[in-house]
Amino acid sequence: MKEKYSIKTALFLVILMQISCKKLVEVDVAGNLISTKMVYSSDANATAAVVGIYINMMAKSLGISYIPLGVTVYNGLCADELKVFKPVTLNNYPYFYSNSIATTSAENDNIWSDLYGYIFIANLTIENLEGNTQISSAVNDQLMGEVKFIRAFSYFYLTNIYGDVPLLTHSDYTTNRLAGRVSKSSVYEQIIADLKDAERLLRSDYSISDNQERVRPNKWAATALLARVYLYTGKWNDAEAQSSAIITNSALFSLPVIGSDLVNGLNTVFLKNSTETIWALKPVLEGTNTYDAQVFLRPPEGVSGKDRLIVSSWVIGAFEPGDLRRQAWVNSAITAETRPDTNYYVNKYKVASIYLLAPQEYNIVLRLAEQYLIRAEARAMQNNLDGAALDLNRIRAGAGLGNAAFFDQASMLKAILKERQVEMFCEFGHRWFDLKRTKNIDAVMNEVSPLKNAVWNTNFQLFPIPQNEILKNTNLIQNPGYK
Amino acid sequence: MLFPVNKMKFRTRRLIAVCIIVFMQLGTAYSQKITLSENNVALELIFNKIRLQSGYDFIYNQNLLNQAKPVTVHLINKSLKEVLDVCFLNQPFTYIFQQKTIVVQEFKNTSIANRSVAFIVTARGRIVDTGEKPLSAANIKVHGKNISAVSATDGRFSLRRLDVNAELEISYIGYITKNVKVAADLGDIILEPVVSKLDLVHIIAYGTTSKRFSVGSIATVEAEEIERQPVSNVLSALQGRVPGLMISPSTGVPGGDYVVQLRGSNSIIGSNDPLYVIDGIPYTSVTLSKIGGYGSAAGNSNPLNDINPYDIESVTILKDASSTSIYGARGANGVILITMKKAISGETKADFNVYSGIGQNVRKKKMMHIADYLDMRRETYRNSISTIYNALDAQELVLWDQTLDRDWQEELLGMNAVYKDVQTSVSGGKDLNTFLLGGGYHKETTVFGKADANQKGSVRFNSAHQSSDHKFRAMLGVSYLNSDLTLPGGDITVFAATLPPNQPELIKNASFNTYRSIRKNLIANATLSYMVVPGLELKTNFGFNGITSDEIQVNPFSTTDPVSGLLNSYVLSANNSKYVWNVEPQLNFHKVYGSGILNILIGGTVQSDSTKGVTNYITGFANNMQLTNLASASAVTIIDMNNAKTRFSSVFSRIGYSWNEKYILDLSARRDGSSRFGPGKQFGTFGAMGIAWIFSKERFVDHTLPFIKFGKLRASYGTVGNVPASDYQYLSNWKFSGYKYDGISGLQLQNLFNEDFAWEITKKLEFGLELELFNGSTSFNLDYYRNQSTNQLVNYPLPTMTGFPSVFANLNAVVQNSGLEFSIQHTHIQTKRFKWTSSLNFSAPRNKLLKFPNLESSTYRLDFRIGQPIYIKNLYDFVDIDPQTGLSRYATTSGLVNEPENTVENRTVLFDNRPKYFGGIGNNMHYNGFELDVFFLYAKQKAIDFQGVVGGTSSINLPIRYLDRWRKPGDISSNQLLTYDWTTTLAGWQLPESDRDLVDASYIKLKNVSFSYSFSSNLLEAVHLKRCRAYFQGQNLLTITRFTGLDPETGNNVLSPLRVLTFGLQFTL
């Protein structure tokens, strides 16, 4: 009988083994998940993956994402633009304000990882689009152009914040995890190559958007960024050529008309799809407008009340009397009487939130006024001072100001720098980068830092490489001045 | 059917032969003419053949027959005598006829009256329980001999060739062992159920055992203990009852979550929840709530909220390798088996249990009164800005009544929660068919307001059938529960403990959003079994569990402070479901070999889980009256979607062997396959060995230490696994983010691709001692365990420039959990009318990170330390408030500083946030119909009682200890100066990460008091009641602690567990 059991048992076991074979532990991939292979096998999915990058930029909670708000806030705090009114443990604003960014700062970690995160998706997309026949060539070109633009855009910010950075152009983490830093000039070479590719691949209009919205980068976005890159790298001739290409394209881009209501004109600059917009990021959270408005505006107009980031007295002082931008783009809060230096706040974006309506304002990343100022500077650098004055004065006229006074190249450059300060204040961190690239940073910060209760050190021009990264990748060397 | 068993050496072939003979016997008519043709066979076999053909029985002395020589015989149609003569030729004995019996005897004695000849009889009988239900597979053993048998499905047995003077010992798990004298017809042998706790039936993995014979570390909590407590989640009732099982409520709000850990945390980032199995169906430990975590006052709901505690018959906790290894890949964190009440045969009866009562919030913080509060705010201004207060920052100084002194804790948390509970059941049936039908309703409101409530309605059905030969059995159980939870959208306790005393109304700060969750839970299981032959049972369990959860959180903008930024009304809604089915075929084999008992279980499992869900963000409502009418919304954004399938399939086996009821060996193994792993890594094999020695059965113990009534030593070692908590980790997955950009839905990459990860493995070692002393009045259990978890699945750190901060991979890190557990139970007095029993249990778990390669360079470096528990927090060493500057000072590597740098070296104070030891103390007294049960819970632990960095800078009230603060140089104080100047207050920023507020949060809690009176049966007969009991129950009656925050169990900023007082009535018709 035992034998019979044994046979039965054995049979039973065999049957069990059969039913527990692989079939029973295999499942379909969940309906809501898509594998990388599937993503890059259809136009729609591949587009969705690229669009995911813009969503990443816009769907993070307040103050966390470096693009678009973080760059404005953190660069602004580091420079002479923004001031913290109240101690806010959230986001560690005071550390940036006093130029004492800890190597362990979570915000600094986020800047680094956000930007490299965009680069990673761009690299992955480039690898998967190359020679991909499943994607139509029109879409392939468009997406390839967009991600190359994004890669260049991200590296531009990385190298301007950290100096030399690892240059990753593929998605393999097993090698990327050990990459060391490369020189800033190599990074710029890659940026320029990418932007040239993007210029070639992207459309020269906004037809990629159903409603012709200026929310996905096109050829002109690449051109505009290229103009800026040439300016930053001292290629004045190229910078002038690139910015001219945009300025002369009046069919797409124009500044507010002089001669009409100028304040009204200034008030339209930051509206969605304004004619100044070259590329803007569109809010993705339902019923919201820009993060800038949510963070900067003060009650009753706005909703901040918590973070209290205010425009510094240096910015306010930089406005010439009668500058309409001071009137249109700066506002003061009702608490003016108690704390004189706390009453100014950024009022470029004016809608914090709108109930039941589509958003009215988008985060403008690239706009025409900057191109005028780029060309002015490029011309000035080439000693074309009259040409520079023409561009500079066009911007001043829009603000209700008369022509700039200048005597020589130096005073012209000084005028342009000041114009950039008041035109681009609290907007994508321009001021911080301008001070650095024009080598004015030490002079300005030495003056400003004591008033911020901080001690300036020229090493603070560069943010520290996040310590978390150095610990995990020993090939990364920290910037001088940081432990 | 007859099933004789002889010595172990009894040959299988002969056994089969005997069986065949027995079968033949049934069909063959007796005749006097005999035909035999045998070559060299045992005489005994010849006897059987002769008996078959002739109808004559043989009586013989076994010793005599042992001397028999094999027989070769070839005879056709010969008479009985002729045949016998041939067979007895050359044998050392002879035979005589005695009526229809042939008696074998020695040569020299011809008298059957000779005393040296023992009579040989065949004993037959039937084993039944007190309800005359046949007991199958009961052990029947001949006393002092290695002869035994097991009873058949109808309870019948027969044992042949027994000495007439022999005694039979009849045993069955859960029944008192009985000795009877051998007789040919023993009739019905009635076994009484045991009273000793040692022999009570314990449910274990795929079977039952008793405490006496179990090899594993097993604890059981019975319905009786659960029913003493007015709780809506069985986990609450288990608190402190089981050594090693730590259960911490996360809130006192009904429907809240519990942290359940059996013997510590094994996994660094994976799940540390035990495996729950309800009537054979794995039950999820993962909440289905998606928005409860931030959208409900109770937080995420615990899945066991959706099980009616009243429906539970028992909860068994399996801890060591020996008892959990058979659950293979899911047993690492222990297993909690929940057995639901089953149909019981007997007269049809109806049970009712009704109670109602109130719950109150009794734990309060001592907050500043208005004068002190305003003083604190003014001081902040005076120290930093000016004495002109602006209305925006300090309404309480400018706009509000300067004398109003509200006790917000009283106003917001002062309501009485109302408890109502009704449970009914009807059960009955006899013999072959039994049934149970039950229904229950439970409602508890909250201390926030009457509109908020946790309501549960449930129905239950259980039915069992068996064929008239008792071989085939079928059981079906279905239970369904519907729960409806309505709560505020956040825990109001936070406001109650922070609002300024003169704030005129709540609405200014509090967002009065509401949360509602409706869940449905259906559990169905069916068991079919067939007893192929006695001792061999084929059984299959079919199980299904379906849970749906529909949540909605409504946020009308009108209820929020305009400053907070919310100008839109919005609604979050989440609809989730989880369906699990499993099939478990099993083969059980039970056999007695002389003094040895062999049990073999072989089984398999196929399980499939599917989870689906969608979370929506809805806005653009026509108006605030329409917020629950989603059709009136203009914008619906899917912010989370989930659609996952998991499959699991396994084979398992357990072999148990016990010898002489003294030595027990238990082997178990399981091979598991899971779809949560990539190709090639899906399967894992786990196994365990357990041994036990019942030393009290040894003669030397019995003689020298007679006070030891029962003593057992046991040990086990084995491996168990842990499944990764989420699905599809081995794929590179993209997911639609739910957001649209310019009309296009965006895809987000979820993770880096690593298909090469495998099971986490926990090696469990255990030693146990179990004693029952002094006639059973004292019992004592002691366990030592050491579990080591290896192959940890972690998010392996990568530089974030690779695109992700980590990749999911195995790391050769080792986490060790070890500890001592003991429990003592002692009956002080036991008389007919009065009984008093006390019990105590104690657990001291120790967790230690033994190994973690490259910890220093990983993101985990601030979280873990080698040699320390994995749940430590590294804190700064707070020294004092500088008497000169009024700022906090910390001891760091660079000396005494105000702003310590965030490095591992500066975080020198290690805070282990788990109890050092914990347990429960119970006392139970019976006097006539009265019963009093008192249960205390205790824990030795620390907690951070952090209230605020520095007060004054915002409209937040603080506890009175913040009155002791630095005001002027020279002040020795415990809180730093008040100021708006952030450059100064930087010194305070690290306070929440420092040990300043690290305090003793040990406690002793009077967890439960139950007082009841059972009316005497004489009285009840008059009113036609079978049973009637009136009771009072109290929960969380008293907490003795030095903790200054709210409740030491739940911490500082959530509602404390309520004090609940109920009165109830239980009766049976």
Side-chain angles (χ1 to χ4, degrees), chain B residues 64-310:
Chain B
L64 199 59
L65 209 65
N66 285 346
Q67 302 161 25
K69 296 193 167 70
V71 177
T72 298
V73 55
H74 296 280
L75 296 168
I76 298 163
N77 264 353
K78 299 290 176 197
S79 73
L80 180 59
K81 182 146 187 348
E82 280 172 296
V83 174
L84 288 174
D85 285 342
V86 173
C87 294
F88 278 84
L89 198 73
N90 299 329
Q91 298 292 2
F93 41 72
T94 184
Y95 71 96
I96 57 160
F97 282 98
Q98 179 86 29
Q99 289 168 349
K100 263 253 175 192
T101 308
I102 300 146
V103 178
V104 182
Q105 53 180 238
E106 291 170 54
F107 283 116
K108 51 189 172 182
N109 294 308
T110 51
S111 161
I112 56 162
N114 190 306
R115 290 187 67 86
S116 68
V117 176
F119 284 97
I120 302 295
V121 295
T122 295
R124 293 188 171 85
R126 189 170 83 118
I127 299 168
V128 293
D129 68 3
T130 44
E132 292 193 12
K133 197 185 102 194
L135 298 173
S136 73
N139 292 324
I140 302 107
K141 194 171 163 278
V142 181
H143 206 80
K145 289 265 165 68
N146 285 337
I147 304 169
S148 54
V150 291
S151 61
T153 44
D154 57 0
R156 292 191 186 283
F157 71 95
S158 76
L159 269 171
R160 294 172 53 226
R161 299 190 308 263
L162 299 181
D163 190 314
V164 284
N165 295 317
E167 211 173 57
L168 296 180
E169 186 182 289
I170 294 147
S171 60
Y172 193 81
I173 284 184
Y175 292 84
I176 297 170
T177 300
K178 193 168 189 175
N179 292 318
V180 291
K181 273 221 132 187
V182 161
D185 184 4
L186 289 162
D188 279 358
I189 300 168
I190 300 164
L191 292 188
E192 306 268 339
V194 290
V195 278
S196 165
K197 285 209 159 187
L198 277 177
D199 295 305
L200 286 175
V201 177
H202 280 233
I203 306 283
I204 54 164
Y206 307 106
T208 56
T209 185
S210 66
K211 194 162 166 46
R212 186 186 298 275
F213 295 120
S214 75
V215 173
S217 180
I218 298 161
T220 302
V221 177
E222 302 288 341
E224 189 191 11
E225 267 179 277
I226 298 167
E227 282 170 21
R228 276 192 202 119
Q229 307 178 56
V231 295
S232 64
N233 187 333
V234 67
L235 290 174
S236 176
L238 298 180
Q239 254 195 299
R241 309 265 164 176
V242 177
L245 181 64
M246 193 190 80
I247 296 179
S248 333
S250 62
T251 174
V253 182
D257 203 4
Y258 290 82
V259 176
V260 179
Q261 275 190 18
L262 197 50
R263 295 182 165 175
S265 299
N266 294 305
S267 181
I268 291 176
I269 66 155
S271 167
N272 282 303
D273 293 332
L275 170 69
Y276 295 100
V277 179
I278 300 180
D279 280 347
I281 311 163
Y283 187 72
T284 180
S285 67
V286 181
T287 179
L288 237 57
S289 291
K290 279 283 151 131
I291 54 181
Y294 49 88
S296 155
N300 276 332
S301 127
N302 184 290
L304 288 167
N305 274 323
D306 303 331
I307 302 292
N308 183 2
Y310 185 81

Side-chain angles (χ1 to χ4, degrees), chain B residues 223-229 310-312 341 349-356 421-425 929 931 1010-1016 1020 1023 1025-1033 1063-1069:
Chain B
E224 189 191 11
E225 267 179 277
I226 298 167
E227 282 170 21
R228 276 192 202 119
Q229 307 178 56
Y310 185 81
D311 287 342
I312 295 171
K341 283 177 182 159
K349 59 169 187 160
D351 284 298
F352 297 88
N353 189 2
V354 183
Y355 73 75
S356 77
D421 190 284
V422 183
Q423 305 288 342
T424 64
S425 70
E931 185 195 4
S1010 163
F1011 181 68
S1012 68
Y1013 178 71
S1014 299
F1015 293 91
S1016 71
L1020 292 173
V1023 288
L1025 284 177
K1026 288 196 182 94
R1027 200 166 93 103
C1028 182
R1029 189 173 150 260
Y1031 60 84
F1032 159 82
Q1033 293 174 342
F1063 180 78
L1065 198 63
Q1066 184 179 22
F1067 56 95
T1068 304
L1069 287 175

